[in-house]
Amino acid sequence: MRQIGIGIAGLGTVGAGVYKHVAQNRALLCERLGVELVVRRAIVRDVHKPRVAGPPAAELTTRWQDLIDDPDVQIVVELMGGIDESLALIRAAINAGKIVVTGNKALLAEHGQEIFALAAHKKVPVFFEASTAGGIPIIKTIREALVANHIVSIHGIINGTSNYILTRMTDAGLDFAEALAEAQAHGYAEADPTFDINGWDAAHKAIILASLAYGFWVGTDKIFVEGIDKLTATDIRFADELGYRVKLLAIIKADASLPDGGAGNSGGIEVRVHPTLIPKTHVLASVSGVFNAVAVRGDVVGETLFYGRGAGQDPTASAVISDLAEAAIALGGQHRTYGFTPHGLYGTCKPLEDVRSRYYLRLAVDDRPGVLAQVAGIVGQHDIGISSVVQPETHDAADRAQLVFMLAEASERQMQAALADILQLACVTPPPALLRVESFS
Amino acid sequence: MRQIGIGIAGLGTVGAGVYKHVAQNRALLCERLGVELVVRRAIVRDVHKPRVAGPPAAELTTRWQDLIDDPDVQIVVELMGGIDESLALIRAAINAGKIVVTGNKALLAEHGQEIFALAAHKKVPVFFEASTAGGIPIIKTIREALVANHIVSIHGIINGTSNYILTRMTDAGLDFAEALAEAQAHGYAEADPTFDINGWDAAHKAIILASLAYGFWVGTDKIFVEGIDKLTATDIRFADELGYRVKLLAIIKADASLPDGGAGNSGGIEVRVHPTLIPKTHVLASVSGVFNAVAVRGDVVGETLFYGRGAGQDPTASAVISDLAEAAIALGGQHRTYGFTPHGLYGTCKPLEDVRSRYYLRLAVDDRPGVLAQVAGIVGQHDIGISSVVQPETHDAADRAQLVFMLAEASERQMQAALADILQLACVTPPPALLRVESFS
């Protein structure tokens, strides 16, 4: 199988995750892409540092120029962070004709215009799914899935650290300093949390989303940014009493008057990031902890919302690898797909009788002593646990009592056999109500 | 600009929507795609029927063979529904080398294996985003954005009619027949709602999602399907008391033991559609009315969820047009994108002072008569409406009262000017708390 060579700049949390998952899901990726992704080189600060995941020491280097010079590296993955060195690397990669994948939101927010102008000039793709909202494919969604739409608005909870802090201030009544300390203890906030709590991490992502949606790069001086660092527990409580949750929200909106037929510019867009009161009934109000969510309204599609983990090794690695897949397709020059890719890694459906579930079982029964014991006895004979039994006071029209069982996990085979036996009982009047319970474990 | 010719088979609700939005957002689509999408022909049952949206009568035909024979039609969009004629059209289109876009879930669930085998053999792409969950780009997401992942599970609310009926049974205590009649009156259920309420509409979509995730076509005889038609208001009420919502859920799961390194098959997958009790605290429990949602868990990305309208003219048209964009890129053979497409339809950020919002304003004030009137007077002078005022009983450490205003929409300029005047009052002690309120209107 043809190999695609990858150079990773930066083997920190995300870089190591990319290396690990490209290796672990190698067979699946080969089947889906028709090529093999191979990490050929990685740039690190210290070649001799012990690592949990990463290429052999011989493939490590401290000089990013080595990635550019290596003819076997076709894709450069920039995960170093920072600005100056990352920008130099990306410029050099584009000039050398190597496809770039980056997760560097600050770099794109500040230098996106220059980077994409150079990329267009050199006809080299630059992918950046990992720059915004980690595991949520919001870049691909806005760029491709919603291509038919003028974007009316975007509302995003796109900083997990802030959202964790606000969730704890709301649910546990902590004040800001306590919640921040807790976030740091759990690894949800960095030692220096400045950009998370002053709003600028979210602002960089908002600039990327707005630029993508509206087709021009939004300057950092054109947006309003306020963090959560001055927010008090008092205001969160008062907001709660008024029916609101406080979230750090990125808000991107175009004027209602959409541009017509390319005749000219619209009335302008707005981009802002600040603590925001949102009605408790809105779905964004229920996005808790480190999770992110982005609600996008398009003029054709209407309301949509995308939810997932916004940061962390694995979700961000998933985003980087989806960009690697795009890059591999761009390198191949082949059609992306015929819509459905068969692969041989799965291939059987489990027999229905073996499918396991929890169950809700309601029976109409004679209202006399001993009935519950009889039914429970049969359930036990079939080795099915009973989580709870309720006998509501209400009777049906025929004055039968209602018995409601919540049953533990069992196979369909067990459950149907038990039910058949239960229906043999003279004290049980059919039909029973059998519903399955999903606990998302 | 180069034109891409489209033939639409079926000018019903969705077909007319595609025609309308391709025309309305023509400039935007041209900028984003670099080619112009032009509907050249449409197949209809009656050429002379009056239409709100559609091509001129001269471009209408009743014979689908006309789409195949027209050399200017490069993409065939199948929106006729049904099985036999659609299958014949799609076969003919693929054999003629024309890219196919279809929203026909029943056809794919029953004949997907044959269609995609032919497409792969002829190297012709077939796109089907509109077949499943309308405005939610779940096909693209599973196929591309989550390409790095073994899909651990998919849980979907993917039939809007059922979800509307269940929502009304739950919230308004209606019985099944009443809720169905209401759905029909609102146009959320068809005159013949059989496939919506017996679960098979959702089952067809589940087959498509499972086949996409696991790489083999799942037979209709391999899955468990139960509709909502036998569900009683009694069980919905009992479930509610136990802490659950009842939803028609499509559940797709792979065994926990994932296939390793391509060495062999896993233990099998399960696909089922049935009324399901889900904990009220789970985000899927809050998906109401005709909205759809699909939760996907990947082994790398973790939990994700995608939410939007699952049916209707506009959301489905948005999905079809995203497939047309894919098709146009496939026809061009060019790189999909350089990651960011500049276009000239927008280009300005609104000055921050002009941005409008609602506001929450909390002030620490002297606890004496007349203070509220003074503050309210200033707010009024700046032409800002007051939605509500609360003076909580609690005082702060310095024994000042707290005044909390919810203010009507105003510009940032108005609000800042009003606040500056308010802070001139001797009875007000800084700092004030000013937060913005988003009502998602």
Side-chain angles (χ1 to χ4, degrees), chain A residues 207-268:
Chain A
I207 286 173
I208 293 170
L209 293 178
S211 302
L212 192 65
Y214 297 110
F216 72 100
W217 280 91
V218 172
T220 51
D221 59 331
K222 293 283 191 282
I223 71 175
F224 176 76
V225 182
E226 186 179 295
I228 61 165
D229 40 347
K230 291 183 190 65
L231 205 60
T232 66
T234 303
D235 292 309
I236 288 178
R237 197 174 67 246
F238 287 163
D240 181 71
E241 287 167 12
L242 290 161
Y244 294 90
R245 286 266 177 277
V246 182
K247 294 289 185 188
L248 183 73
L249 207 62
I251 300 175
I252 301 164
K253 282 185 193 175
D255 271 3
S257 54
L258 294 169
D260 62 334
N265 289 335
S266 76

Side-chain angles (χ1 to χ4, degrees), chain B residues 21-73:
Chain B
H21 291 295
V22 164
Q24 271 179 7
N25 283 351
R26 194 187 69 85
L28 186 71
L29 284 163
C30 287
E31 293 275 0
R32 286 185 175 155
L33 300 178
V35 295
E36 183 180 358
L37 302 176
V38 180
V39 177
R40 297 230 188 265
R41 278 188 172 264
I43 308 173
V44 294
R45 281 213 199 86
D46 176 1
V47 171
H48 304 291
K49 183 178 153 189
R51 294 169 196 287
V52 177
E59 295 171 12
L60 299 180
T61 170
T62 56
R63 296 179 57 249
W64 61 254
Q65 188 64 39
D66 290 348
L67 293 197
I68 306 300
D69 294 341
D70 188 337
D72 289 338
V73 168

Side-chain angles (χ1 to χ4, degrees), chain A residues 11-25:
Chain A
L11 271 187
T13 305
V14 177
V18 172
Y19 185 86
K20 181 177 76 176
H21 291 296
V22 163
Q24 270 178 6
N25 283 352

Side-chain angles (χ1 to χ4, degrees), chain A residues 21 25 27-29 32 116 123-126 128 135 137 140 143-150 155 211-218 222-224 226 231-232 235 238 242 244 251 253 255 258-259 261-262 264-266 268-270 272 274-279 282 284 299-301 303-308 314-315 318 321-322 325-326 330 335-350 352 355-356 358 360 362 390 392 404 406 433 435-438 440, chain B residues 21 25 27-29 32 116 123-126 128 135 137 140 143-150 155 211-218 222-224 226 231-232 235 238 242 244 251 253 255 258-259 261-262 264-266 268-270 272 274-279 282 284 299-301 303-308 314-315 318 321-322 325-326 330 335-350 352 355-356 358 360 362 390 392 404 406 433 435-438 440:
Chain A
H21 291 296
N25 283 352
L28 186 71
L29 285 163
R32 286 184 175 155
F116 287 98
K123 299 196 187 305
V124 172
V126 173
F128 52 103
K140 177 177 280 285
R143 188 178 59 206
E144 300 167 26
L146 302 182
V147 68
N149 293 260
H150 280 286
H155 290 89
S211 302
L212 192 65
Y214 297 110
F216 72 100
W217 280 91
V218 172
K222 293 283 191 282
I223 71 175
F224 176 76
E226 186 179 295
L231 205 60
T232 66
D235 292 309
F238 287 163
L242 290 161
Y244 294 90
I251 300 175
K253 282 185 193 175
D255 271 3
L258 294 169
N265 289 335
S266 76
I269 65 161
E270 60 185 74
R272 46 197 169 104
H274 51 67
T276 310
L277 273 64
I278 61 182
H282 193 278
L284 282 173
D299 69 336
V300 182
V301 77
E303 256 185 82
T304 60
L305 182 133
F306 309 92
Y307 170 93
D314 294 344
S318 179
I321 297 171
S322 75
E326 295 280 327
H335 283 164
R336 153 183 300 282
T337 173
Y338 303 107
F340 167 79
T341 311
H343 61 74
L345 298 180
Y346 297 86
T348 58
C349 283
K350 192 186 286 192
L352 296 176
V355 168
R356 297 177 69 81
R358 291 168 61 217
Y360 161 103
R362 179 175 57 81
V390 188
V404 178
M406 294 294 291
L435 295 169
R436 288 154 195 85
V437 181
E438 188 65 18
F440 302 94
Chain B
H21 291 295
N25 283 351
L28 186 71
L29 284 163
R32 286 185 175 155
F116 288 98
K123 297 196 188 304
V124 172
V126 173
F128 52 103
K140 178 179 278 287
R143 188 178 58 207
E144 300 167 25
L146 302 183
V147 68
N149 293 260
H150 280 286
H155 289 89
S211 302
L212 192 64
Y214 297 110
F216 72 100
W217 281 91
V218 172
K222 293 283 192 283
I223 71 176
F224 176 76
E226 184 179 297
L231 207 59
T232 66
D235 291 309
F238 287 164
L242 290 162
Y244 293 90
I251 301 175
K253 283 185 192 174
D255 270 4
L258 294 167
N265 289 335
S266 77
I269 64 163
E270 60 184 74
R272 46 197 169 107
H274 51 67
T276 311
L277 273 64
I278 61 182
H282 194 276
L284 282 173
D299 68 336
V300 183
V301 78
E303 258 185 79
T304 61
L305 182 134
F306 308 92
Y307 171 92
D314 294 345
S318 180
I321 298 172
S322 76
E326 294 281 327
H335 283 163
R336 152 183 300 281
T337 173
Y338 304 107
F340 167 80
T341 311
H343 61 75
L345 298 180
Y346 297 86
T348 58
C349 283
K350 191 186 285 193
L352 296 176
V355 168
R356 298 178 68 82
R358 291 169 60 216
Y360 160 102
R362 179 175 56 83
V390 187
V404 177
M406 294 294 290
L435 295 170
R436 289 155 193 85
V437 181
E438 187 68 16
F440 302 93

Side-chain angles (χ1 to χ4, degrees), chain A residues 40-313:
Chain A
R40 295 231 187 267
R41 275 186 174 266
I43 308 174
V44 295
R45 282 213 199 85
D46 176 2
V47 171
H48 303 291
K49 185 178 150 189
R51 294 170 196 286
V52 177
E59 296 170 11
L60 300 179
T61 168
T62 57
R63 295 178 58 248
W64 60 255
Q65 188 64 37
D66 291 346
L67 293 197
I68 306 301
D69 295 341
D70 187 337
D72 289 337
V73 168
Q74 295 155 280
I75 307 170
V76 171
V77 182
E78 186 278 302
L79 298 169
M80 299 189 295
I83 300 288
D84 294 344
E85 207 183 357
S86 306
L87 182 57
L89 169 66
I90 287 174
R91 274 196 199 119
I94 295 170
N95 280 319
K98 294 174 195 283
I99 295 182
V100 171
V101 173
T102 178
N104 193 329
K105 52 199 159 279
L107 178 66
L108 293 180
E110 290 178 24
H111 298 279
Q113 184 156 25
E114 175 200 338
I115 289 169
F116 287 98
L118 180 63
H121 178 65
K122 295 285 183 178
K123 299 196 187 305
V124 172
V126 173
F127 297 105
F128 52 103
E129 188 65 70
S131 67
T132 305
I136 305 175
I138 193 64
I139 302 298
K140 177 177 280 285
T141 295
I142 292 177
R143 188 178 59 206
E144 300 167 26
L146 302 182
V147 68
N149 293 260
H150 280 286
I151 303 299
V152 178
S153 63
I154 299 173
H155 290 89
I157 295 174
I158 49 179
N159 181 271
T161 305
S162 295
N163 204 49
Y164 179 84
I165 291 171
L166 293 177
T167 300
R168 294 297 293 159
M169 289 176 77
T170 304
D171 293 352
L174 304 185
D175 70 23
F176 174 76
E178 290 169 328
L180 173 58
E182 194 183 280
Q184 287 174 315
H186 283 85
Y188 297 151
E190 295 174 53
D192 177 3
T194 307
F195 287 133
D196 290 322
I197 66 177
N198 75 5
W200 272 97
D201 175 82
H204 287 145
K205 298 168 184 167
I207 286 173
I208 293 170
L209 293 178
S211 302
L212 192 65
Y214 297 110
F216 72 100
W217 280 91
V218 172
T220 51
D221 59 331
K222 293 283 191 282
I223 71 175
F224 176 76
V225 182
E226 186 179 295
I228 61 165
D229 40 347
K230 291 183 190 65
L231 205 60
T232 66
T234 303
D235 292 309
I236 288 178
R237 197 174 67 246
F238 287 163
D240 181 71
E241 287 167 12
L242 290 161
Y244 294 90
R245 286 266 177 277
V246 182
K247 294 289 185 188
L248 183 73
L249 207 62
I251 300 175
I252 301 164
K253 282 185 193 175
D255 271 3
S257 54
L258 294 169
D260 62 334
N265 289 335
S266 76
I269 65 161
E270 60 185 74
V271 181
R272 46 197 169 104
V273 173
H274 51 67
T276 310
L277 273 64
I278 61 182
K280 283 182 200 175
T281 50
H282 193 278
V283 60
L284 282 173
S286 65
V287 175
S288 295
V290 295
F291 274 87
N292 281 18
V294 185
V296 183
R297 183 188 287 269
D299 69 336
V300 182
V301 77
E303 256 185 82
T304 60
L305 182 133
F306 309 92
Y307 170 93
R309 288 187 180 272
Q313 182 176 53

